[in-house]
Amino acid sequence: YICLYPDCSSAGQDFQRRHQWIQHVQEAHWKILLCPLGCRDLRLDNIPALNDHIATLHKEHAESLSPESLIQLSEQDRPLDASKQCELCDEELDSFNAYARHVGRHQEDVALFVLPDRGLEEDSLSDDQDENTSKV
């Protein structure tokens, strides 16, 4: 399992177990960003979207907020029952558990896809043997 979030501090790290990857996603990325300047009901998923919001609607504060302070002021844990879109297929998932299960399956499918297919080699041998047998 790997982290699919862009700009992750653990990018490139392999998580040997699903629960390790799930714990990482929940602790590091299952967050929402609220406008630190008081826009009610605004919930964003990523820093670039928050930066765009600040630059567009709060131009007078855009330069005075450092990226670090912006994150500290706006980041909150996302509720476990909040929906999230799958980064791989764009399906909307209705909770953290659904997200972890769904994205975990994608990663398992990719891992299985890259394994050599032993079944094809056996089928090829069977076909060759059948051809040789029919010639006899």
Side-chain angles (χ1 to χ4, degrees):
Y1 299 91
I2 60 168
C3 184
L4 300 175
Y5 283 80
D7 303 324
C8 177
S9 61
S10 297
Q13 177 182 348
D14 288 330
F15 296 94
Q16 297 299 313
R17 300 279 183 252
R18 181 186 273 229
H19 73 271
Q20 294 168 326
W21 166 72
I22 289 172
Q23 181 179 5
H24 166 76
V25 171
Q26 186 173 10
E27 291 174 0
H29 304 295
W30 199 255
K31 309 285 184 192
I32 56 172
L33 300 167
L34 305 176
C35 176
L37 300 170
C39 294
R40 296 182 189 267
D41 300 326
L42 177 71
R43 286 169 172 65
L44 301 166
D45 284 333
N46 58 63
I47 298 297
L50 181 61
N51 287 335
D52 288 347
H53 168 79
I54 300 292
T56 303
L57 296 176
H58 305 289
K59 293 177 187 174
E60 68 279 7
H61 299 289
E63 291 182 19
S64 64
L65 291 169
S66 72
E68 294 81 19
S69 65
L70 191 59
I71 293 169
Q72 283 182 330
L73 291 169
S74 61
E75 188 175 74
Q76 292 187 3
D77 289 338
R78 177 187 295 263
L80 294 177
D81 62 351
S83 64
K84 176 91 171 112
Q85 196 171 28
C86 173
E87 293 88 351
L88 299 172
C89 72
D90 294 332
E91 183 176 334
E92 190 72 23
L93 303 155
D94 64 1
S95 69
F96 178 74
N97 287 338
Y99 174 86
R101 189 171 40 254
H102 177 89
V103 176
R105 277 194 218 124
H106 276 309
Q107 294 202 39
E108 291 165 1
D109 289 345
V110 169
L112 290 172
F113 180 75
V114 300
L115 291 174
D117 189 353
R118 301 277 184 215
L120 287 176
E121 291 175 11
E122 291 173 11
D123 288 345
S124 295
L125 289 175
S126 297
D127 290 344
D128 290 343
Q129 289 173 349
D130 289 344
E131 285 178 21
N132 291 337
T133 306
S134 63
K135 291 179 185 176
V136 173

